[in-house]
Amino acid sequence: MAQRQGLDAANVLQAAVEIADETGVEGLTLAALAAKLNVKTPSLYNHIKGLPDLRKQLSRRGLLLIKAAMVEAVIGKAEDSALLAAGFAYVNFARKHPGLYEAISMLPDYEDSELKEAGQDVVLFLLRILEPYGLSEEDALHVVRGFRSMVHGFASLEGQNGFRMDLERDESLRRLLQTYLRGLRVPLHET
């Protein structure tokens, strides 16, 4: 059977990203994807193994793109300004790609080697940003975990319309990140 001209795995994944961003990950079905691509659902199996495989690919794409967004944002920056830029890039990614961000948050298979590698690359990138702070490896990992919790919480609340006050959201995010950054300058065992 001849494949539809122009239809390949990259096109299928891009269409899946668009559907997820428009309707959320749950709105991404093979029927919806086939309709968007103007093909019959069985034709998709020439390019994907099924919906679980597609969601895994979506999660991996999201991890690669969120890291790329942070890398681009921190070029030429260091220490506090780099972490501030990374935090804004993270939240802006969630704003621009809500479905893709949702796919990252709902990783379908934590033990999948490709997903694990993509996730570790994000962590390693953040650890590199933290090197000038002189933290131990364990302390730096705690900082990365806290950073992710903070920006994920902000992005998730914003994505669920949790900020209803007429107050500039980017200013709230800036203050949140700056407060966190000031905390990095305080010795960890001071209470």
Side-chain angles (χ1 to χ4, degrees):
M1 173 186 230
Q3 292 182 7
R4 180 179 169 93
Q5 189 173 355
L7 186 64
D8 59 20
N11 295 359
V12 170
L13 184 56
Q14 182 56 40
V17 168
E18 292 168 11
I19 291 170
D21 281 345
E22 292 167 8
T23 66
V25 173
E26 293 304 316
L28 175 61
T29 64
L30 294 182
L33 182 58
K36 182 167 184 72
L37 293 167
N38 198 26
V39 298
K40 295 194 182 303
T41 302
S43 299
L44 296 173
Y45 288 96
N46 293 321
H47 309 288
I48 59 170
K49 297 175 187 167
L51 191 56
D53 176 59
L54 183 61
R55 288 190 172 160
K56 179 185 91 162
Q57 290 182 46
L58 203 62
S59 297
R60 183 172 181 274
R61 169 68 64 90
L63 287 166
L64 294 173
L65 290 178
I66 202 167
K67 179 190 172 202
M70 288 190 292
V71 167
E72 184 176 329
V74 304
I75 291 173
K77 297 176 178 70
E79 295 187 32
D80 289 5
S81 63
L83 275 172
L84 188 66
F88 269 93
Y90 188 104
V91 171
N92 286 330
F93 178 87
R95 290 170 175 163
K96 183 177 179 183
H97 294 289
L100 202 48
Y101 182 70
E102 182 184 2
I104 295 170
S105 301
M106 305 170 45
L107 289 176
D109 183 358
Y110 289 105
E111 295 307 314
D112 178 84
S113 62
E114 289 181 337
L115 287 177
K116 201 178 228 181
E117 182 180 339
Q120 287 173 342
D121 283 349
V122 172
V123 171
L124 290 173
F125 168 70
L126 291 169
L127 288 173
R128 273 184 249 132
I129 291 174
L130 291 171
E131 285 175 359
Y133 292 91
L135 302 168
S136 71
E137 182 179 351
E138 181 179 339
D139 288 341
L141 286 169
H142 285 297
V143 169
V144 168
R145 184 180 281 172
F147 176 82
R148 179 174 179 251
S149 298
M150 183 176 49
V151 291
H152 171 71
F154 191 95
S156 296
L157 284 168
E158 184 177 66
Q160 296 169 2
N161 202 23
F163 299 133
R164 296 181 186 197
M165 289 181 182
D166 186 23
L167 193 62
E168 175 56 43
R169 292 176 185 171
D170 281 351
E171 182 59 24
S172 295
L173 178 58
R174 182 178 326 287
R175 289 178 185 211
L176 175 67
L177 289 167
Q178 287 174 335
T179 300
Y180 189 73
L181 291 169
R182 276 193 298 275
L184 290 179
R185 303 288 182 200
V186 176
L188 290 173
H189 302 292
E190 263 186 34
T191 53

